[in-house]
Amino acid sequence: MEETIRQILFDFNVFMLAYFVSIDGIYLLLVGIGWRAVNDYVGRRPLRDYRHVGRSPLSMPVSILVPAYNEGPVIVSSVRSLLSSQFGQLEVVVINDGSTDDTLDALKEAFDLVKVDRVPRANLPCEPITAVYVSPENQRIVVLDKANGGKADSLNAGIRFARYPLFCAIDADTMLDPGALARLVWEFQASPATVAVGGIVRIVNGSNVDGDGKLVEVRTPRQMLINLQIMEYLRAFLGGRIGWSRLGMLLIISGAFGLFRRDVVVEAGGYDTTTVGEDAELVLRLHRHQRDRKRPCRITFFPDPICWTEAPADLRTLARQRDRWQRGLIEMMIRHPGMVGRPRYGGVGMIALPYFILFELLGPVIELVGYAAYISAIAVGAISFPFAIAMLVFGVLFGLLISFSVLLMEERAFRRYPGWRDLRRLVGAAVIENLGYRQLNTLFRVRAFWTLWRSAGWGEMSRVGLKAGDVAEAGEVAEA
Amino acid sequence: MSALQAALLLVGLTALATGLMIGSVITRKLRRDRREWISRFGRDRVRDAVLAGDGDVIRQAAARACDEGLAQVDFAVALDGLTADLTPDARAALDEAVCELGLHDALVAQLRSRNPVDRGRAILLLGELGLPEAEDELPALLSDPDPDVRLAACAELSRLGSRPAADALIVALTAEKLPAERIIERLGERWAVPALIDALSTEDLGEPPTPSPEAGPDWRAHLARAIGVAADPRAEPLLIAMLESPATEERVAAARALASSGTALCMEPLIVALDDPAWEVRAQAAKSLGRRGDERAVPQLERSLGHEAWWVRSNAADALAEIGSAGVEALKRTLSDPDRFARDRAREALALHHLVEA
């Protein structure tokens, strides 16, 4: 019996080793593909006159949708910051999602809002809109006041009243790089098949921001928890997302920063209000919608336009965020099982979705069981101690190889963290994350299965309201 | 080999790869620091030299640009916006240095490279240098298979600002080689207006000098939009005539262009356009009349406040508010109009223009 248990544990550890090698190997492959894409972009960058895109009256105009629930303290500076974007053809649509604080009053006072009669331009379901306001001083500011319905519901309301053919969904507490919109719009103008483009989300903690919400200097903070997340974001965006995008199999565009074609989103039914991962779900649905109709569908990620967001600075908030992201991922998979393994959906159905199910959805559970099996195997002598240590060191080194590859990509193309001190901190974070942080994240993500089961049952309705400070990007670092 | 030995071998190899990777990160950082410094310093130096007509420094930059792609970008950035303002002596020094080293030949040859980035860099530098070869070579690149190359060719042709460049862009516009807006925004400059007028005056497709036989149905509307962007009154008679066109898109484009390119002459035709059979034309005419700010349009705009189409009502109300006191009086009168829709739009326009409390 004892021998059988030892054999099972040994076999399971071999399986786990193979699993880790597979996941890290795939990631390394994606980094390699991403590296080619980044090299190509670096070469093309001087050819692209982004300043002209920002200035031209004929650039595709953009409606920026800002859902706001109890964002009174930040909403005015956020709108001002968005208006200072180096992109002329834009309107900012703030959707006050039944806030119970002074969000609407702050906006009314700051922009001298006037109630107007506006005709919705699309028919999407959303909670009742009680009033539409426009600022006489700057008619690019539109405010919708509506009953509380959650972020997805607010975005649907915003899409209904957005005037322009492209809309950019962002969180109220995020900041855009001044040239970010022009870079995203370029993608639509250069390729008419483009349906959606995601930009990179970076962490602002530690950087210097002035009173108008403009980023003055980018720096990494002293807090290790934040640096660990910066490293995670870099790996998720530069490592995974560029690679998936290059393969035409991008499944996630961050809810904090993405640009979409309004007509296609409306046709696909807008955001799903019954999931916490409405951003990822929409992207998957757009793939499905376009491919079902045999239309070209370019959904891509562009690593240069940057949106800055604040990362959780304590474990409690981090746990809530990761729980939410993982739930979003689970719900996304539950809603589209028919796409998995179907050649009709190309690489998305045949490769990306199976990968996400095996390594991102089930990954945390398998990883947690793997840790338990690893410790048990050492305890019962199923694997020798030197072999166990060799396995551990191999796993850590492979992870470091991926993290350093991403840092190399960052240095090659973007250099947003220019100082040597920043590099030192990020290298330190890449090493330290293996000593507890990664395992903690696994726990948070496993807990999401329980949270989802307890709150709504599989696949049933679960409506969420916006919460201040809750950065919502479903699956954001799930792929890290 | 035992399992442990295999594991140790794997660990060793991975450690080696990881070590090499971190070494690459550090090396890359050092190289980028150096490269950025060279670029910054070099661009300023070349810029000063071009302005001063210092042939030696220009020759050095041109020699580097013959061999290295990044040096081409540095040279192009240093020249950005400079060549149009050069003194004849400085221009001569630049041309001499560039010709002496055969940079123009090298760039023309590079336009045929298989690598789109190389082609793009050549376009960039040819355009910035303002060499005559650019006028001959760049039009063909408007049909390049790579979108970045096509757009770069479009931008650099507009930088040349010459008649042949305008003709090439008009051909590309009518042949729909690029999204129309990308060419219109480049053609929407005063230097291109004579070419636009000539093209619009052409009755039949395929006649010289411009529209392509492959032209789409909206090419005349596109040209009118470009004239509107250029805000040049020389095309006013053509635009007024276009208000009579059987194509709705052309009438809309003409009405829009007259807002910026028209004079007092266009007021009557625009007022007539408020009764156009197509609501899109009526809405655009109302908007343009608002931009013109002429009180003669007030009675017809006031009447349009009760129009069945929301956009016509909306634009008419905004136009009245923009026109000034006579328009505001008309809006105030409409506040007691029996038509609820007209009242609502008048109230909103007044509020948005801070003319009455909301």
Side-chain angles (χ1 to χ4, degrees):
Chain A
M1 179 65 183
E2 208 172 291
E3 190 54 37
T4 312
I5 292 173
R6 262 205 289 270
Q7 188 58 45
I8 290 171
L9 282 172
F10 179 80
D11 289 347
F12 192 76
N13 272 277
V14 171
F15 163 75
M16 284 308 300
L17 186 63
Y19 183 82
F20 277 114
V21 169
S22 303
I23 193 169
D24 282 350
I26 291 171
Y27 224 81
L28 206 55
L29 189 68
L30 287 171
V31 170
I33 295 166
W35 179 256
R36 284 195 63 182
V38 163
N39 266 338
D40 186 48
Y41 169 64
V42 169
R44 286 169 183 273
R45 196 161 41 190
L47 313 181
R48 299 180 173 182
D49 192 353
Y50 292 123
R51 276 179 307 176
H52 185 77
V53 177
R55 284 195 305 255
S56 170
L58 273 83
S59 286
M60 290 178 86
V62 175
S63 299
I64 303 181
L65 308 185
V66 190
Y69 176 76
N70 290 348
E71 301 281 2
V74 297
I75 192 66
V76 172
S77 65
S78 178
V79 172
R80 290 212 167 105
S81 166
L82 291 171
L83 288 169
S84 70
S85 175
Q86 290 166 0
F87 188 77
Q89 303 295 302
L90 67 85
E91 66 169 351
V92 178
V93 182
V94 181
I95 307 105
N96 179 39
D97 189 37
S99 296
T100 53
D101 72 349
D102 65 340
T103 300
L104 185 61
D105 292 335
L107 287 164
K108 277 182 178 172
E109 192 182 342
F111 302 112
D112 203 10
L113 298 178
V114 170
K115 198 171 176 177
V116 294
D117 165 37
R118 278 280 185 279
V119 181
R121 297 177 178 222
N123 188 20
L124 289 176
C126 69
E127 293 295 319
I129 294 164
T130 49
V132 182
Y133 299 91
V134 173
S135 168
E137 291 165 3
N138 187 343
Q139 294 191 24
R140 295 190 301 164
I141 304 171
V142 179
V143 177
L144 306 181
D145 189 25
K146 66 180 276 291
N148 183 264
K151 182 179 176 183
D153 190 77
S154 301
L155 288 169
N156 282 342
I159 294 168
R160 288 184 66 189
F161 283 86
R163 276 193 296 175
Y164 295 141
L166 302 177
F167 75 85
C168 176
I170 71 161
D171 289 343
D173 58 352
T174 54
M175 285 180 289
L176 292 186
D177 251 8
L181 280 176
R183 284 169 158 75
L184 287 187
V185 167
W186 174 278
E187 289 292 313
F188 286 87
Q189 295 186 166
S191 173
T194 307
V195 171
V197 181
I200 191 166
V201 177
R202 291 190 185 237
I203 291 174
V204 74
N205 307 46
S207 299
N208 291 334
V209 180
D210 71 11
D212 295 331
K214 285 185 193 158
L215 194 64
V216 180
E217 187 190 9
V218 178
R219 282 161 57 175
T220 49
R222 286 186 176 171
Q223 282 173 281
M224 184 48 75
L225 184 62
I226 305 293
N227 287 326
L228 290 168
Q229 292 176 76
I230 291 176
M231 200 57 234
E232 259 188 305
Y233 272 57
L234 282 179
R235 214 170 33 232
F237 282 99
L238 299 186
R241 224 164 278 190
I242 297 179
W244 286 120
S245 172
R246 183 77 165 189
L247 293 169
M249 301 176 202
L250 186 71
L251 292 192
I252 296 172
I253 285 180
S254 166
F257 186 34
L259 194 61
F260 296 83
R261 256 181 62 186
R262 198 175 69 105
D263 57 345
V264 180
V265 172
V266 169
E267 204 181 82
Y271 283 92
D272 183 345
T273 56
T274 63
T275 169
V276 292
E278 70 285 333
D279 42 11
E281 196 281 332
L282 176 66
V283 174
L284 197 52
R285 190 145 38 83
L286 288 174
H287 275 294
R288 185 175 197 160
H289 180 82
Q290 294 294 87
R291 284 169 195 268
D292 280 347
R293 284 156 187 77
K294 298 192 179 355
R295 292 180 189 160
C297 178
R298 183 170 179 260
I299 295 179
T300 188
F301 171 75
F302 191 43
D304 208 4
I306 295 176
C307 151
W308 296 90
T309 191
E310 205 172 327
D314 60 86
L315 283 175
R316 192 187 165 91
T317 318
L318 181 73
R320 203 174 66 206
Q321 185 194 52
R322 297 305 155 95
D323 179 283
R324 180 179 153 82
W325 288 356
Q326 186 68 17
R327 272 187 290 139
L329 188 67
I330 299 167
E331 288 180 339
M332 176 175 99
M333 296 302 173
I334 289 171
R335 274 161 178 73
H336 298 280
M339 289 180 75
V340 182
R342 294 274 298 277
R344 169 183 198 162
Y345 298 108
V348 171
M350 298 300 288
I351 299 171
L353 280 170
Y355 167 86
F356 266 75
I357 291 171
L358 198 60
F359 294 112
E360 304 294 352
L361 187 75
L362 301 175
V365 178
I366 295 174
E367 197 175 326
L368 196 66
V369 175
Y371 288 137
Y374 177 75
I375 293 164
S376 310
I378 297 172
V380 302
I383 51 173
S384 70
F385 191 68
F387 183 78
I389 294 297
M391 267 177 72
L392 184 70
V393 173
F394 172 68
V396 169
L397 284 174
F398 212 151
L400 282 178
L401 183 63
I402 293 169
S403 298
F404 293 159
S405 311
V406 168
L407 282 179
L408 184 62
M409 206 186 278
E410 167 75 3
E411 280 302 321
R412 164 92 177 94
F414 309 110
R415 283 172 67 87
R416 281 305 178 130
Y417 304 101
W420 284 92
R421 185 180 52 187
D422 301 318
L423 181 63
R424 223 169 39 234
R425 283 177 175 165
L426 294 178
V427 168
V431 175
I432 289 170
E433 71 175 343
N434 295 291
L435 312 174
Y437 180 74
R438 184 185 170 129
Q439 293 75 13
L440 204 58
N441 256 330
T442 303
L443 277 176
F444 295 153
R445 290 170 65 189
V446 168
R447 203 183 65 166
F449 285 87
W450 168 246
T451 314
L452 191 66
W453 175 263
R454 203 183 51 180
S455 66
W458 299 108
E460 289 174 22
M461 298 269 287
S462 62
R463 178 152 293 157
V464 291
L466 295 174
K467 292 189 183 79
D470 190 8
V471 184
E473 299 117 29
E476 194 71 83
V477 186
E479 59 189 84
Chain B
M1 188 189 288
S2 70
L4 180 61
Q5 281 173 326
L8 288 174
L9 183 64
L10 262 180
V11 169
L13 288 173
T14 321
L16 186 66
T18 310
L20 284 173
M21 191 56 77
I22 191 67
S24 304
V25 173
I26 292 166
T27 313
R28 170 64 61 180
K29 193 164 188 70
L30 286 167
R31 280 176 57 192
R32 276 295 296 263
D33 283 351
R34 183 169 162 272
R35 175 73 222 173
E36 278 185 4
W37 185 84
I38 289 173
S39 283
R40 206 166 31 238
F41 174 73
R43 286 170 186 177
D44 291 346
R45 189 161 162 260
V46 172
R47 202 175 172 82
D48 293 343
V50 170
L51 284 169
D54 181 347
D56 290 340
V57 176
I58 301 172
R59 261 188 289 277
Q60 284 171 20
R64 277 199 300 272
C66 285
D67 301 330
E68 196 197 329
L70 285 176
Q72 289 176 353
V73 174
D74 281 345
F75 200 9
V77 173
L79 291 170
D80 188 22
L82 214 61
T83 43
D85 304 325
L86 290 180
T87 61
D89 286 348
R91 179 76 236 184
L94 177 65
D95 289 345
E96 192 189 323
V98 166
C99 292
E100 191 183 309
L101 289 158
L103 179 59
H104 56 320
D105 292 334
L107 292 175
V108 169
Q110 198 175 313
L111 290 175
R112 283 144 189 90
S113 161
R114 290 178 64 187
N115 182 345
V117 173
D118 284 345
R119 294 200 296 277
R121 282 175 179 155
I123 291 170
L124 205 64
L125 195 47
L126 273 174
E128 290 291 351
L129 287 166
L131 295 173
E133 284 85 352
E135 269 176 9
D136 302 330
E137 301 289 340
L138 295 189
L141 276 300
L142 290 169
S143 308
D144 193 276
D146 189 276
D148 282 325
V149 174
R150 289 199 297 273
L151 289 167
C154 182
E156 295 308 325
L157 275 168
S158 88
R159 194 186 299 274
L160 294 175
S162 63
R163 176 63 191 243
D167 287 343
L169 289 171
I170 290 170
V171 170
L173 178 66
T174 55
E176 299 178 356
K177 289 177 179 172
L178 281 164
E181 286 76 12
R182 306 290 67 81
I183 304 181
I184 293 170
E185 66 193 4
R186 300 293 182 177
L187 276 172
E189 305 272 356
R190 288 183 65 85
W191 61 266
V193 171
L196 290 165
I197 291 172
D198 287 350
L200 269 177
S201 309
T202 308
E203 289 296 323
D204 301 314
L205 298 184
E207 276 190 14
T210 41
S212 153
E214 310 152 42
D218 294 333
W219 67 271
R220 290 173 63 87
H222 293 329
L223 298 185
R225 283 184 75 186
I227 290 170
V229 175
D232 190 317
R234 281 176 288 178
E236 188 180 30
L238 266 175
L239 296 173
I240 290 173
M242 202 186 259
L243 284 174
E244 308 280 326
S245 163
T248 303
E249 194 58 39
E250 286 181 27
R251 299 202 301 281
V252 172
R256 183 192 286 142
L258 283 169
S260 55
S261 302
T263 64
L265 284 176
C266 72
M267 285 304 295
E268 280 307 318
L270 279 176
I271 290 170
V272 172
L274 283 175
D275 292 319
D276 191 278
W279 70 264
E280 297 94 328
V281 180
R282 296 197 288 274
Q284 186 56 56
K287 196 169 184 173
S288 297
L289 285 166
R291 297 266 164 84
R292 304 285 330 147
D294 192 319
E295 292 185 359
R296 279 181 288 170
V298 168
Q300 286 79 5
L301 286 171
E302 190 176 351
R303 184 165 49 82
S304 296
L305 284 172
H307 195 279
E308 61 188 9
W310 187 89
W311 278 109
V312 179
R313 291 201 300 275
S314 176
N315 287 358
D318 289 340
L320 285 167
E322 278 180 66
I323 283 172
S325 56
V328 172
E329 285 309 313
L331 285 170
K332 286 180 178 170
R333 278 196 299 277
T334 312
L335 290 176
S336 53
D337 195 285
D339 181 344
R340 184 171 66 85
F341 294 110
R343 281 202 313 272
D344 286 349
R345 283 302 301 134
R347 186 179 303 111
E348 187 178 310
L350 287 166
L352 281 175
H353 289 80
H354 274 205
L355 301 168
V356 295
E357 288 302 312

